[in-house]
């Protein structure tokens, strides 16, 4: 592994004596201050009654420090590797390195974090020492170590994946990483507070479907599962950088896996008395249905290429709407929504909710989703006509979402807001949903159907243009 040229390159730059000893000094000073402050609190205050309490507290503080080092400092290093290559004008050299995508991925994840990994290893020794002196359960120590490693792997691979974008050769900023840190840091603080106040945390149960699993093991397992996806995504982007992140089959498999994991977390808590839990599960599992088509996009050029391959095939099959539609982004969007709808219907049945009411809600949500899917496909097929079409369609989507909310507030109406997809979702979770009325649902479906007519007409014309263009090439 250490024969990897990227690791060797980063080792020479990171392990320069002056820079390396600067890092070492900072680390030693921080750890010394941590031990000094805690010992002072033990010696001169009543914060700790015994040495065991002192070392137990230091153990959890070192755990936080380990998490910051591996999951945040390490993720920042991984996420800025491609940016640094672009800034140093060596990105083309990086792309042409005669090593496989796996070697490039490991070269960045390990090479950019050599100092981080060294400090983490030293910190791990201190963790086990303070854990032993603080009488922390050894099974709990192993679970915490697994938790730190799994979170660190997920954060590192996720930030690296988001930074691999060959279409943008400009300097990127770490704003995405900062946002990620602000999102997850409060949950991390809450988890640590729970650790300090929970006895026998190593056996504290969490439900996954009807299985009781130690909560730390469950969190670690979920992080490792999604790490496999992010790692696979990195390999794909390094191998086929001009292709979308997901293949058609990959997008479907990811959606199925995501749905199974999220439903498993909600399953035990579903009940007719807690309708808001069912709606929350619907909303959270609906997110990838909206986002996956964006990273599995088949472009205008892909459509032209697909028609050409059909013409050149041994069967000599003539391209047409019947062959282009199953290949389109719309077909993938419909498949993803069908998977989500099946999961939503099943969880409705499990929670003993009104299944007919749930199916009507799903149908209404489909009408909203179809409009968004058509807007995205309109962007794909009309992008060659104008570079500003995307901005216009985003404007249309925003108006579609917020205009009913504004009108509802201005007109003091308790019904108009449900004609917004956001308002509809909010209304579904209320105790007396207004969108449950048959007349209102029928009007929502009618309005969305009328709105879909224009984009469908334009998309079909563009499909025919693609087919004609390919036939004339």
């Amino acid at each position: 592994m250490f024969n990897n040229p990227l690791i060797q390159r980063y080792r020479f730059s990171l392990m320069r004596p002056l820079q390396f000893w600067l890092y070492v000094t900072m680390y030693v000073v921080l750890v010394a201050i941590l031990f000094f402050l805690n010992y002072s609190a033990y010696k001169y205050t009543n914060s700790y009654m015994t040495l065991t309490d002192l070392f137990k507290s230091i153990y959890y503080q070192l755990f936080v420090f380990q998490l910051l080092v591996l999951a945040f400092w390490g993720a920042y290093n991984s996420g800025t590797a491609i940016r640094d290559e672009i800034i140093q004008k060596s990105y083309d050299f990086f792309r042409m390195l005669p090593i496989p995508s796996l070697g490039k991925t490991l070269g960045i994840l390990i090479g950019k974090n050599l100092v981080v990994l060294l400090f983490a290893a030293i910190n791990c020794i201190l963790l086990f020492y303070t854990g032993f002196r603080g009488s922390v359960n050894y099974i709990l120590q192993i679970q915490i170590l697994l938790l730190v490693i799994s979170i660190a792997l997920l954060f590192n691979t996720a930030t690296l994946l988001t930074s691999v974008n060959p279409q943008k050769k400009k300097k990127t900023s770490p704003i995405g990483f900062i946002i990620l840190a602000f999102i997850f840091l409060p949950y991390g603080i809450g988890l640590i507070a729970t650790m300090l106040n929970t006895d026998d945390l190593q056996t504290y149960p969490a439900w996954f479907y009807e299985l009781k699993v130690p909560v730390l093991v469950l969190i670690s397992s979920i992080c490792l599962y999604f790490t496999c996806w992010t790692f696979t995504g990195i390999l794909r982007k390094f191998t086929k950088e001009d292709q979308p992140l997901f293949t058609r089959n990959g997008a479907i498999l990811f959606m199925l896996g995501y749905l199974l994991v999220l439903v498993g977390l909600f399953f035990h808590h579903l009940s007719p008395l807690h309708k808001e839990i069912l709606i929350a599960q619907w909303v959270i599992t609906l997110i990838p249905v909206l986002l996956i088509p964006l990273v599995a996009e088949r472009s205008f050029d892909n459509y032209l290429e697909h028609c050409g391959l059909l013409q050149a095939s041994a069967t000599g099959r003539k391209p047409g709407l019947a062959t282009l539609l199953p290949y389109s982004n719309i077909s993938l969007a419909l498949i993803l929504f069908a998977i989500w709808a099946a999961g939503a219907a099943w969880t409705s049945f499990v929670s003993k909710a009104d299944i007919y009411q749930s199916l009507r809600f799903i149908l209404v949500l489909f009408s909203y989703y179809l409009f968004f899917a058509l807007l995205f496909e309109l962007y794909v097929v009309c992008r060659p006509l104008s570079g500003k079409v995307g901005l216009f369609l985003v404007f249309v989507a925003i108006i579609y979402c917020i205009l009913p909310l504004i009108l509802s507030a201005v007109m003091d109406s308790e019904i108009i807001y449900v004609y917004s997809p956001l308002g509809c979702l909010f209304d579904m979770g209320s105790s007396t949903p207004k969108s449950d009325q048959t007349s209102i649902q029928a009007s929502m479906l009618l309005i969305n159907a009328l709105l879909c007519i224009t984009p469908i007409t334009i998309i079909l014309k563009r499909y025919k243009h693609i087919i004609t263009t390919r036939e004339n090439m």
Side-chain angles (χ1 to χ4, degrees), residues 219-293:
I219 296 173
S220 301
S221 301
I222 293 173
C223 288
L224 290 174
Y225 171 74
F226 286 109
T227 297
C228 293
W229 279 103
T230 54
F231 193 84
T232 303
I234 296 170
L235 298 181
R236 175 170 172 79
K237 293 302 292 183
F238 279 151
T239 305
K240 300 179 179 179
E241 61 180 21
D242 294 325
Q243 297 296 316
L245 178 61
F246 281 112
T247 62
R248 179 64 56 97
N249 292 335
I252 294 171
L253 286 174
F254 179 82
M255 182 60 205
L256 286 171
Y258 181 90
L259 187 65
L260 289 173
V261 170
L262 265 294
V263 170
L265 297 176
F266 282 91
F267 187 85
H268 180 75
H269 307 284
L270 295 173
S271 71
L273 299 177
H274 297 91
K275 181 183 176 181
E276 65 278 4
I277 295 179
L278 176 64
I279 299 301
Q281 180 262 319
W282 281 18
V283 173
I284 295 175
T285 52
L286 189 61
I287 292 173
V289 181
L290 296 170
L291 297 182
I292 289 176

Side-chain angles (χ1 to χ4, degrees), residues 274-280 282-283 286 337 340 344 348 353 357-368 417-418 420-437 441 444-445 448:
H274 297 91
K275 181 183 176 181
E276 65 278 4
I277 295 179
L278 176 64
I279 299 301
W282 281 18
V283 173
L286 189 61
F337 189 89
W340 174 85
S348 299
Q357 181 191 54
S358 298
L359 291 176
R360 293 198 304 270
F361 280 149
I362 291 171
L363 181 60
V364 169
L365 289 178
F366 173 71
S367 67
Y368 287 115
Y417 76 95
V418 301
S420 162
L422 300 177
C424 181
L425 284 172
F426 177 79
D427 181 69
M428 287 179 183
S430 65
S431 56
T432 56
K434 298 174 180 60
S435 57
D436 187 33
Q437 300 177 28
Q441 287 180 343
M444 294 162 72
L445 292 172
N448 285 328

